[in-house]
Amino acid sequence: MRRCIGLAAVLLATACAQPAGPPSGLAATLPFEHAGIADMRPAFTQRLGEELARRHQDPDPSRWLHHAARTTAAGPVPFAAPEGLRVLIVPGLLGDCVDDQSLPFSDGRRRTRPDSHTQGYAHLRATLGHVRALQVPGRASSARNAGLIAAQLHAEALRPEVREILLIAYSKGVADTLLALDRLQREGRLSPKVRALVSVSGAVMGTPLADGSAALYGALAPLWAALGCPASGGGEIRSLATEERASWLARHRLPPGVRTYSVVAYTARKNVAPALVPFFDRLSASDRRNDGQIPAGRMLLPGSRLLAEADADHWAYVLPLAQHPNPLVRHLAASRDYPREAFLAAIVRTVIDDLRNTGAQAPAFRAGTSVCPVQALPEACAGP
């Protein structure tokens, strides 16, 4: 029973698992069209349909996305990853408790660490090039993880065969990555090879679930230790607090040379994994558009391009927990069988196409103003 409770605790947390003036964390709730967010959902929808067709799946992307036109792709469109492209994936909170099998967008096969961080993506080599997950502690503050991400990112950029880097960060990994990019920029070590950052259900503005939850999280620590999860470095829950994230965004500019993209997720209660239902209900008291961990409006990077509104909970479209060897994990994470591989391919293709469009300019966003940061909301307020 102790082990079962510990496994449940890991799943519940996995992934979230004004330059002047006081750090009030004030946010302006605006439609995303007025918050410096560009709409790239039609382009992403088209790419997802093509990737589904390539895998001989139902090519209608409206099954998996909110506000996507019901379409049927004519067929797969040839795509080859640019030579020298590196896709680096940043996991989230408690990610290293399950990273032998459930890294973001990996194939879901169990492997020894750290082989899983590379071999879990080997099947994507032919279509997306080199894809791997960065190694970061799942139980550490964003400040600590930022140093580790910055070191790995800097080392990757120094490799002569690497021409461009696409970062895809998940949940708390987004907060960690933002700090890493800021550190590299301040130190003058941010390579121009780092072209883009994609936030996937990112804790950009934190989550209300982390506010005041540090004591409960600390009480569960012995259970995670019994499961073999690495010891906490401290500060991981504080890093997800809404005031912490809003205050950081209000004081920092995102690197101008790194184009940013956002993927948000929310779904109906019937599609939420059993372990996430209590959190979904709690968040729904103020915003029904949540994925069981984070409200959708808090996932948007300021000044980014919105790629998709996934019809999924926090885990279903990113983590292959449904393939976990432990039956309890599979039960707690049970949800729709989301086409994760096609979704990842659509992200990479859409971003690469956008980066190749030299005429496209990043949406204007000015940090450090009285309405920064912005909690932007998709226009469909009715929710799922």
Side-chain angles (χ1 to χ4, degrees), residues 263-354:
V263 174
V264 305
Y266 56 95
T267 192
R269 191 178 190 273
K270 64 181 181 180
N271 296 326
V272 177
L276 293 179
V277 168
F279 304 107
F280 175 86
D281 289 343
R282 177 179 170 185
L283 292 172
S284 293
S286 57
D287 191 343
R288 287 188 296 132
R289 287 161 303 169
N290 72 83
D291 65 359
Q293 291 286 272
I294 306 172
R298 293 182 171 274
M299 302 175 189
L300 288 157
L301 285 167
S304 65
R305 290 157 157 78
L306 176 62
L307 295 179
E309 295 172 79
D311 187 359
D313 68 25
H314 196 71
W315 299 333
Y317 79 118
V318 180
L319 301 175
L321 291 168
Q323 301 167 238
H324 198 278
N326 188 295
L328 176 62
V329 174
R330 295 197 300 271
H331 169 71
L332 291 172
S335 186
R336 294 201 298 167
D337 187 15
Y338 209 91
R340 286 179 296 274
E341 182 179 323
F343 196 91
L344 174 63
I347 289 176
V348 174
R349 287 189 58 195
T350 307
V351 170
I352 292 301
D353 287 347
D354 188 51

Side-chain angles (χ1 to χ4, degrees), residues 142-229:
S142 288
R144 178 185 174 189
N145 282 356
L148 299 173
I149 294 169
Q152 293 177 71
L153 190 54
H154 181 65
E156 190 75 14
L158 290 176
R159 298 166 64 92
E161 69 273 19
V162 176
R163 297 183 180 179
E164 54 187 343
I165 297 171
L166 165 58
L167 287 164
I168 300 178
Y170 171 54
S171 194
K172 178 179 173 289
V174 175
D176 299 351
T177 302
L178 288 174
L179 268 69
L181 292 174
D182 179 71
R183 177 177 298 191
L184 288 171
Q185 180 176 241
R186 286 187 288 103
E187 296 174 354
R189 298 189 299 132
L190 182 57
S191 170
K193 293 180 180 180
V194 182
R195 302 295 308 284
L197 166 64
V198 182
S199 165
V200 176
S201 279
V204 177
M205 284 279 287
T207 174
L209 296 177
D211 298 341
S213 299
L216 174 61
Y217 176 83
L220 294 172
L223 300 177
W224 296 326
L227 290 169
C229 296

Side-chain angles (χ1 to χ4, degrees), residues 48-49 52-53 57-65 68-73:
L48 179 58
L52 290 168
Q57 298 172 299
D58 182 349
D60 180 13
S62 67
R63 293 183 57 196
W64 311 107
L65 303 175
R70 183 178 179 85
T71 60
T72 300

Side-chain angles (χ1 to χ4, degrees), residues 5 32 127 159 183 214 248 280 300 321 372 377 383:
I5 294 175
F32 79 95
T127 54
R159 298 166 64 92
R183 177 177 298 191
W248 189 91
F280 175 86
L300 288 157
L321 291 168
C372 169
L377 299 177

Side-chain angles (χ1 to χ4, degrees), residues 32-72:
F32 79 95
E33 298 95 335
H34 302 293
I37 307 294
D39 189 2
M40 287 192 63
R41 290 175 297 175
F44 179 88
T45 298
Q46 178 66 31
R47 294 292 174 264
L48 179 58
E50 293 168 359
E51 290 301 323
L52 290 168
R54 187 192 306 277
R55 290 160 179 78
H56 306 289
Q57 298 172 299
D58 182 349
D60 180 13
S62 67
R63 293 183 57 196
W64 311 107
L65 303 175
H66 296 289
H67 315 305
R70 183 178 179 85
T71 60
T72 300

